C-alpha cells in the first residue's frame, strides 16, 4: 500500500470518529429535558448533566496527551472508543433504577472517552499528509462532525422525547402493576438507543484495533506547557474556546425548554407549513407528530440549530480563504449576538428562527479560534492542542450558570450571558485582526 493510499484510508476511518463524537455530544442535549421531567429538577440541577459531561474534558485532556505519547494514536483511539462504549452501557442500569448519580457517572465516563479521541484525532488528521493541506483536512473532518450534530437532535426528539413523562403525583396514583409497567417502558426509552450506540462503538473499536494506521507520532519537546502559559494569544484563544463551547452547548441544551417557555407548540401545531416541515423530517424515521408529544415536536426543530452549523462551516471555509480568518470570526460573532437580541425581544416563530440561526454563525468559531491560537507555535502545537481541549470545560460551566439565571430571572435575562460569551469572541477576533500576531 502506498503512503498516500495509507493516509487516505486512515483519514476516512478517523473522520468517522468526528461524526461519532458530534452525534453523541448533541444526543446528550436531548436527554436534558427528559431528565428534568423524570427527576423533577430545577434548571440549574438539570445542567449537572452537561457539567459531568464537559468537566471530563478538563480532567482528561492533559492525561490523554500523556497516555497517547506512551501508547500511540491507534491504541489511544481504541482506548477512547472502549471508554465511550462503557459510558453508554452505564445508562442501562441508570435508567432501570432511575438513578441520577449513575447517569452522571455514565456521562462522565462517556466524555472521558471522547476527550481521548479529541486530543488524538485533531493533531492526527493534521499530520496525515502535507502541512499545506492540514487545514483543509481538518475542515472536512469537522464538517462530518457537524453532520453528526445535525442528525442527533432528530434521533433524540423521536426516540428520547417521544413519550410524556409522568409526575411523581401521577405515578403515585398508578396501581402497583401499572407503576411497574410504566417504569419498564420509561427505562427502555433510554436503554435501547444507548445500548445500540454502545454496541456500534465497540464494533468500531474492534475495527480500529486491526486496521493499519500510519505512524506519525512525534516526540514532544520538554517544558512546552510552561512556555505556552506565557503565550498571550494562546491563552486568549483558550478563553475563546471556553466561552464558545459554553455558549453553543447552552443554547443547544435549552432550546426545547426555551420553546416550551414561549409556548410555541400550539403555534407550530396551527401552522400547516411548520407541521409539514416537522413531519417531513420525522418521516425519515416513519414517525408523525400530534398534539400529544409537544417536547418531541419542539425538539425536531433543534436540527436547524446544528444543521446551520454544518452549512455555515462550508460557507466559512470559503470565506476564510478570501478574507482574514480573524475578520470572519468577528463578523460571525457579531451576527450571533444580533440573532440572540432579536430572539429575546420578539415572540413566536420570529423568536424561534432567530435563535436557531445562531447555529449558522457558530459554525466556524471553534476551528477558527483553535487555528488562530496555534499560529507560530511550531513544535508546541501538540501541547497547545491539549490545553485548548481543556477549555472545552466551558460546556460544563456556562450552562450551569445559565440554568441558575433561568431559575432566578427567566430566559430573557439569562441569554445576556450568551451575549457576553459571543462578545468576547468578537473582541478576540478584533484583537487578532489589529495586532496581526
Amino acid at each position: 500500500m502506498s503512503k498516500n493510499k495509507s493516509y487516505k484510508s486512515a483519514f476516512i476511518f478517523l473522520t468517522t470518529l468526528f461524526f461519532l463524537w458530534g452525534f453523541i455530544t448533541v444526543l446528550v442535549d436531548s436527554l436534558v429535558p427528559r431528565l428534568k421531567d423524570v427527576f423533577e429538577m430545577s434548571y440549574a440541577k438539570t445542567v449537572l448533566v452537561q457539567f459531568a459531561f464537559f468537566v471530563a474534558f478538563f480532567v482528561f485532556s492533559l492525561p490523554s496527551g500523556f497516555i497517547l505519547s506512551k501508547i500511540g494514536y491507534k491504541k489511544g483511539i481504541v482506548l477512547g472508543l472502549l471508554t465511550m462504549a462503557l459510558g453508554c452501557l452505564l445508562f442501562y442500569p441508570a435508567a432501570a433504577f432511575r438513578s441520577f448519580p449513575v447517569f452522571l457517572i455514565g456521562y462522565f465516563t462517556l466524555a472521558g472517552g471522547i476527550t481521548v479521541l479529541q486530543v488524538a484525532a485533531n493533531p492526527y488528521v493534521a499530520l496525515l499528509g502535507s502541512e499545506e493541506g492540514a487545514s483543509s483536512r481538518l475542515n472536512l473532518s469537522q464538517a462530518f462532525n457537524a453532520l453528526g450534530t445535525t442528525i442527533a437532535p432528530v434521533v433524540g426528539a423521536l426516540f428520547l422525547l417521544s413519550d410524556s413523562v409522568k409526575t411523581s403525583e401521577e405515578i403515585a396514583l398508578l396501581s402497583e402493576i401499572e407503576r411497574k409497567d410504566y417504569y419498564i417502558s420509561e427505562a427502555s426509552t433510554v436503554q435501547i438507543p444507548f445500548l445500540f450506540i454502545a454496541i456500534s462503538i465497540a464494533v468500531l473499536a474492534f475495527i480500529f484495533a486491526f486496521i493499519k494506521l500510519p505512524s506519525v507520532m512525534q516526540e514532544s519537546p520538554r517544558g512546552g506547557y510552561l512556555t505556552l502559559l506565557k503565550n498571550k494569544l494562546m491563552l486568549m484563544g483558550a478563553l475563546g474556546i471556553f466561552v464558545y463551547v459554553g455558549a453553543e452547548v447552552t443554547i443547544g441544551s435549552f432550546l426545547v425548554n426555551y420553546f416550551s417557555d414561549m409556548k410555541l407548540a400550539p403555534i407550530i401545531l396551527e401552522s400547516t407549513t411548520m407541521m409539514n416541515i416537522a413531519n417531513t423530517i420525522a418521516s425519515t424515521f416513519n414517525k408523525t407528530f400530534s398534539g400529544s408529544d409537544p417536547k418531541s415536536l419542539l425538539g425536531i426543530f433543534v436540527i436547524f440549530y446544528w444543521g446551520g452549523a454544518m452549512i455555515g462551516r462550508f460557507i466559512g471555509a470559503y470565506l476564510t480563504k478570501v478574507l482574514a480568518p480573524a475578520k470572519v470570526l468577528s463578523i460571525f460573532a457579531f451576527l450571533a449576538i444580533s440573532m440572540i437580541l432579536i430572539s429575546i425581544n420578539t415572540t413566536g416563530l420570529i423568536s424561534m428562527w432567530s435563535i436557531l440561526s445562531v447555529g449558522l454563525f457558530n459554525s466556524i468559531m471553534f476551528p477558527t479560534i483553535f487555528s488562530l491560537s496555534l499560529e507560530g507555535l511550531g513544535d508546541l502545537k501538540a501541547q497547545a492542542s491539549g490545553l485548548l481541549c481543556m477549555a472545552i470545560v466551558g460546556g460544563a460551566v456556562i450552562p450551569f450558570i445559565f440554568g441558575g439565571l433561568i431559575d432566578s430571572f427567566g430566559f430573557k435575562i439569562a441569554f445576556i450571558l450568551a451575549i457576553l460569551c459571543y462578545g468576547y469572541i468578537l473582541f478576540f477576533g478584533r484583537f487578532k485582526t489589529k495586532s496581526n500576531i
Side-chain angles (χ1 to χ4, degrees), residues 315-316 319-320 322-340 357-358 360-365 368-369 372 422-433:
I315 297 173
L319 291 177
T320 52
V322 297
L323 297 172
K327 184 176 292 185
V328 178
L329 178 66
S330 298
I331 294 171
F332 275 45
F334 174 78
L335 292 172
I337 293 171
S338 300
M339 292 302 102
I340 296 174
S357 69
V358 173
L360 178 68
F361 305 115
N362 279 338
S363 55
I364 68 155
M365 291 186 183
T368 304
I369 296 171
L372 290 176
Y422 289 113
Y424 175 79
I425 295 170
L426 173 60
F427 165 75
F428 176 75
R430 294 289 295 168
F431 173 82
K432 184 65 176 67
T433 301

Side-chain angles (χ1 to χ4, degrees), residues 148-229:
T149 64
T150 302
I151 295 173
V154 181
V155 176
L158 298 178
F159 293 98
L160 298 180
L161 300 175
S162 59
D163 62 334
S164 59
V165 176
K166 297 182 183 299
T167 65
S168 55
E169 291 80 7
E170 292 173 326
I171 294 174
L173 296 175
L174 298 176
S175 66
E176 189 65 32
I177 296 177
E178 290 174 331
R179 189 180 302 118
K180 183 178 180 180
D181 289 341
Y182 170 71
Y183 284 153
I184 292 174
S185 175
E186 182 190 86
S188 66
T189 302
V190 173
Q191 290 171 327
I192 294 175
F194 280 97
L195 183 60
F196 176 78
I197 292 172
I199 293 172
S200 300
I201 294 174
V203 170
L204 192 60
F206 180 82
I207 293 173
F208 264 91
F210 288 96
I211 63 174
K212 186 176 181 180
L213 295 177
S215 177
V216 293
M217 180 65 75
Q218 297 178 354
E219 199 170 315
S220 302
R222 296 184 180 182
Y225 290 117
L226 293 177
T227 302
L228 289 171
L229 292 176

Side-chain angles (χ1 to χ4, degrees), residues 264-336:
L264 280 176
I267 297 174
I268 294 174
L269 286 168
E270 291 176 2
S271 171
T272 302
T273 301
M274 297 295 287
M275 287 305 297
N276 285 340
I277 293 173
N279 283 315
T280 298
I281 298 172
S283 64
T284 307
F285 298 90
N286 297 317
K287 297 272 188 174
T288 57
F289 288 106
S290 66
S292 62
D293 51 1
K295 275 194 168 60
S296 181
L297 174 60
L298 296 174
I300 203 76
F301 286 96
V302 179
I303 189 176
F304 292 100
Y305 178 74
W306 298 107
M310 179 177 64
I311 295 170
R313 192 155 289 162
F314 288 106
I315 297 173
Y318 169 75
L319 291 177
T320 52
K321 287 183 179 180
V322 297
L323 297 172
K327 184 176 292 185
V328 178
L329 178 66
S330 298
I331 294 171
F332 275 45
F334 174 78
L335 292 172

Side-chain angles (χ1 to χ4, degrees), residues 40-213:
E40 300 178 277
M41 299 181 296
S42 66
Y43 283 110
K45 188 176 180 181
T46 303
V47 182
L48 284 174
V49 175
Q50 261 75 27
F51 190 85
F53 190 83
F54 285 98
V55 77
F57 285 92
F58 182 80
V59 173
F60 290 113
S61 286
L62 293 184
S64 294
F66 175 77
I67 292 172
L68 289 171
S69 69
K70 298 297 182 182
I71 66 176
Y73 284 113
K74 179 179 173 179
K75 291 181 180 179
I77 289 170
V78 173
L79 174 64
L81 288 170
L82 291 176
T83 305
M84 289 172 63
L86 175 62
C88 289
L89 287 176
L90 285 173
F91 291 157
Y92 198 94
F97 296 106
R98 293 170 63 86
S99 173
F100 187 61
V102 178
F103 266 115
L104 293 182
I105 294 172
Y107 279 121
F108 186 77
T109 304
L110 173 62
I114 292 178
T115 302
V116 177
L117 295 185
Q118 279 268 29
V119 175
N122 282 299
Y124 197 12
V125 168
L127 292 168
L128 288 176
S130 67
E131 187 175 4
E132 295 77 17
S135 178
S136 176
R137 291 190 297 275
L138 268 174
N139 276 318
L140 183 55
S141 292
Q142 288 286 351
F144 280 90
N145 179 267
L147 176 62
T149 64
T150 302
I151 295 173
V154 181
V155 176
L158 298 178
F159 293 98
L160 298 180
L161 300 175
S162 59
D163 62 334
S164 59
V165 176
K166 297 182 183 299
T167 65
S168 55
E169 291 80 7
E170 292 173 326
I171 294 174
L173 296 175
L174 298 176
S175 66
E176 189 65 32
I177 296 177
E178 290 174 331
R179 189 180 302 118
K180 183 178 180 180
D181 289 341
Y182 170 71
Y183 284 153
I184 292 174
S185 175
E186 182 190 86
S188 66
T189 302
V190 173
Q191 290 171 327
I192 294 175
F194 280 97
L195 183 60
F196 176 78
I197 292 172
I199 293 172
S200 300
I201 294 174
V203 170
L204 192 60
F206 180 82
I207 293 173
F208 264 91
F210 288 96
I211 63 174
K212 186 176 181 180
L213 295 177

